[in-house]
């Protein structure tokens, strides 16, 4: 089968429907994934889809392929990615979510779990090779049944999270799939919820469902002013990421949320390892250490962080929490370890309900001056080579410290600079932070001079995330 290699990304499969992703590709993926699952002893596979317009046809094709490979499919219908993950931790150990996440509306894709682990990298390329060669094995005996997992998922959250007092909140689902479940679950916790754009509509008629972009939070900020609510929550298209806005309209970025979550989790898991990615604030590690935890900076990528958390636990350690600047938060303490915007929102509300002023708690978190995530467009295949060149040539004098676990991150006493290659698109990812405006300007100038020594035509633009 001829398939576009570009759709096989580092952590998932993602393309434009129907030009690079269509029913034939979905069916081929079903046959290949089903074949590999059976080889691993996995015979039951949960399948879900988000609210995109191409979801039903791609889901039907994927399920046809899985059934042809001889597996039992549990079709959980139109759900958030975390609800599919929940199904793949309770009804099965393996699952596929059909989702375009936060991409434009003509995109769709597949996020996959095999035997309880998120698959990425070489395993995704192995699927590509099997689809291209059509070397799957069809096996009789496949079947499909429907299951509604939302009641069990809702009960699991509502029974786990307890608010000290009811909170008034605004929830903006951006017409993504979270609108079908999150507002009701948050009401179940005792919140008074004002809903924005909860109707699931794959045309995304109001704004794009990506809370990492400030322009997508304007409606939420306006509603906070008119309703007098204490807090705003915004979800991305498939519900695995969360945005937080205070009553005053301040966007609380995920690395600041992590400082609050770490403090709470470490009160019950003292000495635990808290993971965060290289894009996070320099102020996060000291906050984790001050709360009695072991901070561990790691590579960006939700699959990579989940795998590292599992590895720490397998070695007898404790990794109760992980998080990324992009908004993926992974609770292992009291939860399953997968990223879930609704559950993270519930845990945040539990913490804030103990205080009379939720916004004051959030505004009091460690802060600094920083750029948002920035991108430099490159040619296909160029970013990783460029970053390696920078890593090899960069020379920084003390007190600067260099970390090369994922690109080039340089920390000074008053801020940091990061240049890394995206694993999903041909761009460089940049982020700069300073404890003062002057420090931010100095660090940005120094890192950009270094970048332009290797790529003189580097043009910065806001990240498309």
């Amino acid at each position: 089968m001829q398939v576009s290699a570009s759709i096989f990304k580092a952590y998932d499969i993602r393309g434009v429907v129907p030009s690079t992703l269509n029913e034939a590709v979905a069916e081929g993926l079903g046959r290949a994934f089903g074949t590999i699952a059976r080889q691993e002893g996995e015979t039951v596979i949960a399948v879900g889809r988000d609210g995109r317009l191409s979801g039903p046809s791609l889901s039907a094709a994927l399920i046809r392929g899985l059934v042809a490979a001889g597996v039992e499919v549990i079709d959980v219908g139109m759900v958030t990615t975390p609800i599919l993950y929940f199904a793949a931790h309770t009804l099965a150990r393996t699952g596929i979510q059909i989702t375009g996440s936060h991409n434009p509306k003509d995109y769709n894709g597949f996020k996959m779990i095999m035997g309880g682990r998120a698959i990425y990298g070489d395993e995704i390329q192995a699927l590509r090779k099997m689809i291209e060669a059509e070397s799957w094995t069809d096996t009789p005996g496949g079947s499909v049944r429907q299951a509604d997992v939302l009641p069990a998922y809702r009960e699991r959250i509502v029974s786990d999270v307890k608010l000290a007092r009811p909170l008034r909140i605004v929830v903006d689902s951006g017409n993504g799939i979270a609108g079908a479940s999150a507002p009701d679950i948050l009401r179940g916790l005792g919140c008074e919820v004002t809903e924005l754009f909860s109707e699931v509509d794959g045309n995304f008629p109001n704004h794009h469902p990506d809370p990492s972009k400030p322009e997508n939070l304007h409606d939420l900020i306006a509603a906070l002013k008119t309703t007098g609510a204490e807090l705003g929550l915004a979800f991305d298209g498939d519900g695995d990421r969360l945005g937080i806005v205070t009553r005053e309209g301040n966007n609380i970025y995920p690395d600041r949320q992590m400082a609050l979550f770490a403090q709470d989790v470490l009160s019950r898991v003292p000495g635990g390892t808290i993971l965060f990615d290289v894009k996070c604030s320099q102020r996060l590690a000291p906050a984790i250490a001050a709360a009695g935890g072991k901070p561990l900076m790691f590579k960006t990528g939700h699959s990579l962080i989940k795998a590292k958390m599992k590895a720490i636990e397998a070695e007898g350690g404790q990794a109760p929490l992980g998080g990324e600047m992009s908004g993926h938060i992974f609770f292992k303490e009291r939860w399953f370890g997968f990223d879930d915007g609704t559950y993270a929102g519930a845990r945040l509300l539990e913490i804030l309900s103990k205080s009379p002023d939720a916004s004051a708690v959030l505004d009091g978190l460690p802060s600094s001056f920083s750029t948002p995530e920035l991108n430099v467009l490159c040619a296909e295949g160029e970013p990783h080579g460029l970053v390696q060149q920078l890593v090899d040539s960069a020379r920084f004098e003390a007190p600067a410290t260099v970390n090369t676990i994922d690109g080039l991150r340089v920390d000074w006493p008053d801020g940091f600079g990061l240049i890394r290659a995206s694993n999903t698109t041909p761009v460089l990812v940049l982020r700069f932070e300073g404890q003062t405006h002057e420090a931010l300007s100095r660090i940005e100038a120094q890192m950009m001079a270094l970048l332009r020594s290797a790529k003189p035509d580097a043009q910065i633009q806001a990240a498309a995330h």
Side-chain angles (χ1 to χ4, degrees), residues 71-87:
V71 299
E72 178 191 343
V73 175
I74 303 175
D75 179 4
V76 299
M78 193 166 71
V79 294
T80 63
T81 295
I83 293 177
L84 181 275
Y85 290 161
F86 177 81

Side-chain angles (χ1 to χ4, degrees), residues 319-353:
L321 177 69
E324 286 192 294
M325 189 63 202
S326 61
H328 294 275
I329 310 281
F330 317 91
F331 285 93
K332 188 71 177 67
E333 190 245 1
R334 293 166 47 188
W335 192 241
F336 300 89
F338 58 72
D339 35 336
D340 185 337
T342 301
Y343 184 72
R347 289 285 290 259
L348 182 84
L349 294 169
E350 181 179 72
I351 297 166
L352 296 177
S353 72

Side-chain angles (χ1 to χ4, degrees), residues 179-326:
S181 56
D184 174 64
I185 290 169
L186 298 172
R187 277 195 190 95
L189 297 175
C191 292
E192 185 183 320
V193 181
T194 299
E195 297 183 44
L196 297 179
F197 318 131
S198 294
E199 184 187 348
V200 179
D201 183 345
N203 288 305
F204 307 127
N206 294 290
H207 62 73
H208 202 62
D210 182 1
S212 70
K213 291 272 162 289
E215 63 268 22
N216 296 324
L217 299 172
H218 292 164
D219 296 306
L220 184 59
I221 290 167
L224 281 165
K225 288 193 173 75
T226 57
T227 60
E230 290 182 73
L231 195 67
L233 275 63
F235 295 104
D236 76 333
D238 66 333
D240 60 6
R241 293 188 297 127
L242 172 72
I244 299 290
V245 177
T246 67
R247 176 187 280 153
E248 290 73 32
N250 298 326
N251 186 354
I252 306 297
Y253 284 102
D255 51 357
R256 294 180 74 200
Q257 297 172 31
M258 278 292 292
L260 190 64
F261 287 138
Q263 208 174 9
D264 176 59
V265 166
L266 290 165
S267 71
R268 293 179 297 276
V269 190
T273 299
I274 309 294
L275 271 81
F276 54 93
D277 76 325
V278 293
K279 293 193 281 191
C280 285
S281 169
Q282 189 182 63
R283 298 208 183 246
L284 179 54
I288 292 166
K294 295 181 196 132
L296 179 61
M297 190 190 294
F298 200 62
K299 301 172 188 177
T300 292
H302 65 93
S303 300
L304 306 180
I305 291 195
K306 280 181 273 202
K308 183 65 174 175
M309 288 172 72
K310 276 184 183 291
I312 290 168
E313 302 250 332
E315 290 160 8
Q318 288 186 299
L321 177 69
E324 286 192 294
M325 189 63 202
S326 61

